[in-house]
Amino acid sequence: MPQRGNRRELLAEAAIEVLAREGGRGLTHRAIDREAEVPEGTTKNYYPTRSALFLAVARYIAAEHTAALRELRSQIPVGLSGEDITALYAAMLRRMGTSARSRFLALFELHLEAVRNPGVRDALGDITQANVDTAVELHAAVGRRMSRRGAGLLDAGMLGVALSMLSLPDDLVEELGFDDADGLARALLSLGSVRDEAAVGVLRGWAG
């Protein structure tokens, strides 16, 4: 957790933990005060409404995520391979269920809030834009073309798989292979790399 000198960051980190543990309904000023171990009323002084709370958390996660991906894109190594990209996305899938579990649970709650909160929607849009930019640039670095539509499909697939990994019974996760991060990464990257026309055809087939 952040040092107490940065009160807004401290409250944002506490709010992420509350969202992950209690869900959107549990995101209250008092719950965040307790999680952050600050005097009662502190969170309300910074964020007077629940809508402001959701927006603050969304912007905090978006800023953190986009900064990390911006740094990743600036440091793409010479000699990067397709297998390296697959390993990167597999590692991300593993983090979704382990070290980054709270953040992704909070992110899913934010997606629900975004249906009704335009500010949260904009922050989540920044995350998706960064994910799309990164996928396109990584593939370009290994001489492969990935369209922005394909990168968006990859991003949606990663999010959907993460949701399934975190919410389905363990035996079903195992049966469906959702515990195979390497295999999932290869499958999702393949789906994101198909031609736009083919991707649309696949989606139409699923829709019936």
Side-chain angles (χ1 to χ4, degrees):
M1 189 166 279
Q3 295 181 356
R4 295 192 171 266
N6 190 335
R7 187 59 62 88
R8 289 184 184 276
E9 186 176 353
L10 176 70
L11 296 177
E13 289 286 347
I16 289 170
E17 293 302 320
V18 172
L19 263 180
R21 187 175 61 247
E22 308 292 342
R25 288 187 176 184
L27 188 69
T28 66
H29 295 91
R30 287 185 178 181
I32 296 172
D33 287 341
R34 288 194 296 270
E35 181 69 26
E37 299 179 351
V38 296
E40 186 173 319
T42 299
T43 302
K44 199 170 185 65
N45 286 337
Y46 283 89
Y47 310 110
T49 65
R50 290 188 76 250
S51 179
L53 276 179
F54 275 105
L55 183 57
V57 178
R59 287 176 172 170
Y60 177 78
I61 290 178
E64 177 187 63
H65 187 82
T66 55
L69 289 189
R70 189 163 51 246
E71 182 176 1
L72 185 154
R73 293 196 302 273
S74 71
Q75 298 178 0
I76 296 176
V78 175
L80 183 76
S81 69
E83 284 303 310
D84 292 330
I85 295 175
T86 300
L88 173 64
Y89 277 86
M92 284 192 274
L93 286 170
R94 291 189 186 94
R95 286 186 65 248
M96 290 173 182
T98 54
S99 60
R101 186 175 187 274
S102 290
R103 268 170 166 62
F104 278 92
L105 287 172
L107 186 62
F108 295 135
E109 296 291 339
L110 290 173
H111 271 273
L112 293 175
E113 176 67 17
V115 175
R116 299 169 295 275
N117 189 324
V120 172
R121 189 180 308 163
D122 287 342
L124 297 185
D126 291 341
I127 292 175
T128 296
Q129 290 279 7
N131 291 341
V132 167
D133 290 343
T134 301
V136 170
E137 289 191 31
L138 286 172
H139 282 77
V142 297
R144 300 178 183 174
R145 179 183 176 275
M146 175 174 277
S147 69
R148 292 187 67 78
R149 176 182 289 182
L153 184 60
L154 167 63
D155 184 58
M158 291 282 288
L159 195 63
V161 165
L163 178 59
S164 295
M165 290 166 56
L166 292 169
S167 62
L168 292 178
D170 291 342
D171 57 345
L172 185 57
V173 167
E174 183 177 355
E175 177 189 344
L176 299 177
F178 287 166
D179 57 346
D180 176 13
D182 295 298
L184 286 170
R186 283 191 293 271
L188 291 170
L189 286 164
S190 176
L191 183 60
S193 298
V194 299
R195 292 175 57 193
D196 289 349
E197 296 85 351
V200 171
V202 170
L203 292 173
R204 285 176 178 166
W206 288 342

